[in-house]
Amino acid sequence: MRAHAAEVSAKPALQAVEGLTLLTGLYLAISPWVVGFNGNPLAISNLVTGIALAVLGLGFGSAYERTFGMGWAAAGIGAWAIIAPWAVQHASATTGTIVSNTITGAIAFLLGLVTRAMAARSRRT
């Protein structure tokens, strides 16, 4: 099973998904300072969820055989990033926060779905 997981993780498509997941997580973590809402309570949410997504991306890259089933978590983080500007208490949802979180969340959600699909496909083969 580990040999099969190592073979699957060596594919360029999966490596691209791993890298994009890591970069998406890092952007989500630093987005309060990039977009300029670091005084907003949403900044803490983005920092925590961004670090979690980046750690997932690192896990997909370094220990695929143990983390490939966690694509659902990346999709969940993406969904949270999309709704967070309205769900976080006392967060002022400005245009910048909404656009940044929606785009980043959608990318994370899609990457999570792709990871899940690759995991399901690798189990069948």
Side-chain angles (χ1 to χ4, degrees):
M1 174 116 169
R2 283 190 179 194
H4 178 68
E7 179 184 324
V8 171
S9 67
K11 293 183 179 179
L14 185 63
Q15 291 173 349
V17 170
E18 296 163 357
L20 289 172
T21 303
L22 174 65
L23 291 175
T24 303
L26 291 176
Y27 175 76
L28 185 60
I30 66 166
S31 65
W33 293 273
V34 172
V35 178
F37 59 96
N38 56 337
N40 194 331
L42 183 60
I44 296 169
S45 173
N46 281 16
L47 180 64
V48 171
T49 55
I51 290 171
L53 186 60
V55 168
L56 274 174
L58 283 173
F60 295 154
S62 63
Y64 179 75
E65 68 274 359
R66 292 187 302 250
T67 60
F68 68 89
M70 296 293 291
W72 61 267
I77 290 171
W80 170 253
I82 292 170
I83 64 167
W86 298 281
V88 173
Q89 191 173 13
H90 304 297
S92 58
T94 64
T95 303
T97 60
I98 293 169
V99 170
S100 177
N101 273 37
T102 302
I103 292 172
T104 308
I107 291 170
F109 184 79
L110 291 174
L111 289 170
L113 292 181
V114 169
T115 303
R116 244 353 251 150
M118 289 180 158
R121 190 172 69 201
S122 72
R123 285 182 186 157
R124 282 186 255 143
T125 60

